[in-house]
Amino acid sequence: MASSTDRMLQSRLGITPDAGAWCVIRKIPKPPSDVHHRAGNGSLRPAFIRPLRLLALVLASPFVLILGLLLLIASGEEALKKWLATGEERERLRAEELDAKQRDAAIVELSLDQTFDGNWHGVAGQFLLRWYGHSSHHQRFVALSEGRILLAAPPKRVSFRAESRMGVVAEIPADEGELEDPLPAYENNKLRLRFEDGSWITLTTEETRSSLHEHLMRHPTNPETKNTES
């Protein structure tokens, strides 16, 4: 990770992690009312953006339109590039498209398009019920440090400078859970937070093949120690 990020984490969290990245989860499904009640009836969604922050986003909308126009132009350039491509380049592009299709199919096959394994009584389900109770921010900075998995976030949702306001909101020791990349053969933005009972939560990183993905590639977990897929 960048040295500036290391300094920020050392200052805010008191650690220098082996790897870390901002992650989000998909929408939390509606749990059974009795299960939700026993877990404290916590919020199942992040906080809304504050009106002043929303106004700032609206004022910035012209820049969003310009960005959209630039993306449209880039898309047109990409189409032109494909049309003008040589036979070898077209073959490479077809291979990349096939790879993307296989990756997307694998995401569905491994249920990585789902928020969690679906068992509200499992460790992951119970952890998920308290997800926004720890922080109403929509993201979590997931860090690996000394065998632990740390989840950090600002106390409440912010639109800017989340890094400078965050603190640890959850810690998972190595004997209680692990982070894994279920798609190591593909460049992807999916990770799985798996707990000791086999239950899991899907995390989506901000960037494809994040620092966490790269760390897991260098230090793969022993498949013999993993729980059987649920």
Side-chain angles (χ1 to χ4, degrees):
M1 276 185 291
S3 58
S4 59
T5 301
D6 287 343
R7 289 194 296 271
M8 179 271 297
L9 291 171
Q10 181 65 44
S11 173
R12 293 296 305 172
L13 309 182
I15 62 166
T16 301
D18 301 318
W22 283 103
C23 302
V24 296
I25 58 172
R26 291 174 61 89
K27 181 180 178 180
I28 299 177
K30 184 177 180 179
S33 57
D34 59 327
V35 173
H36 191 199
H37 177 72
R38 286 198 298 271
N41 287 322
S43 177
L44 300 177
R45 62 185 182 186
F48 291 109
I49 300 175
R50 292 182 180 180
L52 289 178
R53 298 296 186 190
L54 188 59
L55 177 60
L57 293 176
V58 170
L59 292 175
S61 58
F63 299 101
V64 175
L65 292 175
I66 293 173
L67 177 61
L69 180 60
L70 292 175
L71 291 174
L72 184 62
I73 294 173
S75 178
E77 290 178 347
E78 188 66 26
L80 182 61
K81 186 186 299 183
K82 288 182 180 180
W83 186 67
L84 297 175
T86 63
E88 184 178 342
E89 289 172 339
R90 289 181 181 179
E91 189 63 31
R92 177 181 58 80
L93 291 171
R94 279 195 292 267
E96 290 177 354
E97 290 176 357
L98 177 60
D99 186 74
K101 288 180 180 178
Q102 291 175 338
R103 179 202 61 208
D104 293 345
I107 286 175
V108 175
E109 182 180 354
L110 296 174
S111 300
L112 294 171
D113 57 337
Q114 304 297 317
T115 306
F116 78 123
D117 61 283
N119 179 13
W120 289 109
H121 300 287
V123 177
Q126 292 295 306
F127 192 80
L128 203 60
L129 288 169
R130 297 170 174 82
W131 188 270
Y132 293 116
H134 297 301
S135 166
S136 61
H137 195 60
H138 63 298
Q139 294 174 305
R140 296 289 184 271
F141 188 87
V142 179
L144 301 176
S145 177
E146 300 178 349
R148 305 166 297 164
I149 303 171
L150 301 176
L151 278 69
K156 56 186 178 181
R157 185 164 187 174
V158 296
S159 301
F160 307 102
R161 298 178 59 212
E163 295 90 346
S164 64
R165 307 177 190 186
M166 69 181 184
V168 175
V169 296
E171 179 177 333
I172 305 169
D175 60 345
E176 294 182 11
E178 67 178 3
L179 195 66
E180 58 185 25
D181 177 5
L183 299 170
Y186 302 99
E187 286 198 8
N188 72 94
N189 62 353
K190 300 295 183 184
L191 292 171
R192 181 168 279 171
L193 178 55
R194 185 182 293 277
F195 295 88
E196 76 272 16
D197 65 344
S199 60
W200 49 264
I201 294 171
T202 299
L203 303 176
T204 301
T205 57
E206 269 192 339
E207 55 186 329
T208 300
R209 191 155 284 180
S210 67
S211 169
L212 292 171
H213 289 87
E214 293 175 354
H215 178 82
L216 293 172
M217 287 181 67
R218 294 193 301 270
H219 306 280
T221 55
N222 184 352
E224 295 181 358
T225 64
K226 288 186 179 181
N227 293 293
T228 304
E229 288 280 349
S230 55

